[in-house]
Amino acid sequence: LTIKDGAPFSRRDLVTFLEKNNIQTRPLFTGNILHQPAYADMNYGNKALYPVADNIMKYSFVIGCHQGVSASHLAYIKKTFTSFLDRY
């Protein structure tokens, strides 16, 4: 999931709300990998040339998804997202 730039809330706001409501989240490791410390001494070009990858790192996250997610889990996730978004 990616929060649009200029949204009335931040990724942190939404992730914090979801986590407080027992919906696990994770930031995306992908994005502009050139910002990772392992690449600091490698010459792969200008990091600033990848604005879409930077936005993924800044605005995106994932929620849990696996074979054990039931219809009632999905309904709870929808209800929780709706509860958060109704504030805006």
Side-chain angles (χ1 to χ4, degrees):
L1 303 167
T2 301
I3 307 303
K4 285 186 176 183
D5 190 20
F9 55 88
S10 69
R11 176 180 71 173
R12 180 182 297 256
D13 295 335
L14 179 53
V15 164
T16 299
F17 184 83
L18 294 173
E19 292 280 344
K20 285 182 179 178
N21 285 280
N22 298 313
I23 297 173
Q24 292 186 3
T25 66
R26 299 287 184 273
L28 287 179
F29 171 77
T30 56
N32 192 345
I33 199 166
L34 298 178
H35 288 290
Q36 299 300 326
Y39 293 84
D41 296 327
M42 297 181 185
N43 187 14
Y44 285 107
N46 184 345
K47 294 180 223 182
L49 295 177
Y50 305 98
V52 174
D54 287 336
N55 283 341
I56 290 170
M57 289 183 69
K58 185 175 180 183
Y59 299 112
S60 298
F61 69 99
V62 296
I63 61 173
C65 180
H66 57 83
Q67 71 279 4
V69 176
S70 66
S72 63
H73 291 126
L74 294 174
Y76 178 74
I77 291 168
K78 179 181 176 183
K79 177 183 167 188
T80 305
F81 269 94
T82 300
S83 176
F84 176 84
L85 294 172
D86 280 348
R87 298 174 177 185
Y88 302 95

